[in-house]
Amino acid sequence: MNTNRLSKKLTAALNVQMTNEAYASQIYLSYAAWAESEGCRGIANFLFRHAQEERNHMMKILEYILKRGAKVQVASILEPPENPASINNCFEKVFEHETDNTKAIYKLVKMSLDEEDWASWNFMQWFVKEQIEEETFAMGLLDKMKIAGGEKVSGDALYELDRDLEKTLGEVRSAQDVTTDKP
Ligand code: FEO
């Protein structure tokens, strides 16, 4: 008996998005390691935690595909892009990655709608909401950086920003708390 309730097209697209989330995790991981080597521990911690969140997003999709009786295809992940040129550039790249990811999520929402797959449409709403938060968080980083001087940030201002991000860690959802059961 066939228990698969996902179309071939949606299964393929969800598998691609699962890999996109894994790729996003690698990007954050590489930027975090870079920030740490630049001496910005607060920023690095922030990015390390986000790498974990992206991995949780990947797992959430993986579990959904399995729940619908379809096949998961674990694929290879691209290498993360080159290190950012500066902290300002790092935050710009983070914002771009997030807006690109939102577009990918919207495509899945549209596909679910076109197929009248309401379970998938409903599942994707979590990601729509999540992307609002992700973009807001990325915009917040850019705003902080702008106030600190953007590309012309002084050593003192960068130090303050780094400490500020370290202090706000408590307000950011802990990656460990964001599981597929407790999104
Ligand atoms: Fe999983 Fe940052 O989006």
Side-chain angles (χ1 to χ4, degrees):
M1 185 184 176
N2 183 11
T3 55
N4 182 7
R5 281 141 293 143
L6 269 184
S7 73
K8 263 193 188 157
K9 198 175 163 188
L10 257 175
T11 302
L14 282 165
N15 270 295
V16 167
Q17 187 57 29
M18 190 183 81
T19 308
N20 287 348
E21 301 289 348
Y23 177 56
S25 180
Q26 292 293 86
I27 292 173
Y28 279 105
L29 198 63
S30 74
Y31 288 1
W34 169 81
E36 176 92 34
S37 66
E38 291 289 303
C40 297
R41 182 164 293 178
I43 293 167
N45 281 347
F46 198 82
L47 295 168
F48 274 128
R49 288 157 62 96
H50 208 82
Q52 197 55 40
E53 251 193 60
E54 297 296 352
R55 200 180 147 73
N56 285 332
H57 294 169
M58 178 201 78
M59 285 302 298
K60 194 173 174 76
I61 298 172
L62 182 147
E63 286 184 4
Y64 177 74
I65 297 170
L66 292 176
K67 246 185 219 169
R68 302 303 292 160
K71 288 249 180 330
V72 163
Q73 191 84 43
V74 176
S76 55
I77 310 167
L78 288 174
E79 260 188 50
E82 282 179 15
N83 284 337
S86 62
I87 296 292
N88 188 55
N89 181 238
C90 174
F91 292 170
E92 284 173 349
K93 282 171 167 249
V94 162
F95 184 76
E96 278 170 23
H97 292 311
E98 288 304 337
T99 50
D100 284 349
N101 197 44
T102 300
K103 285 177 200 154
I105 296 289
Y106 287 177
K107 276 189 189 161
L108 275 161
V109 174
K110 172 85 169 54
M111 203 180 281
S112 314
L113 180 78
D114 290 345
E115 291 191 13
E116 298 186 6
D117 180 340
W118 306 123
S120 296
W121 186 87
N122 186 53
F123 171 71
M124 290 312 300
Q125 295 312 303
W126 184 89
F127 283 91
V128 170
K129 192 163 162 274
E130 181 69 4
Q131 281 310 114
I132 296 173
E133 281 183 32
E134 303 264 287
E135 287 183 4
T136 305
F137 126 83
M139 211 165 61
L141 291 178
L142 276 175
D143 286 345
K144 282 179 195 288
M145 196 66 209
K146 197 171 160 189
I147 291 165
E151 282 298 345
K152 293 191 178 75
V153 63
S154 67
D156 284 352
L158 188 57
Y159 178 75
E160 284 301 319
L161 174 67
D162 193 54
R163 277 177 43 139
D164 178 43
L165 275 176
E166 197 151 32
K167 271 191 269 168
T168 59
L169 282 181
E171 293 160 25
V172 179
R173 279 177 310 162
S174 163
Q176 284 82 350
D177 293 342
V178 185
T179 64
T180 47
D181 289 337
K182 295 182 290 172

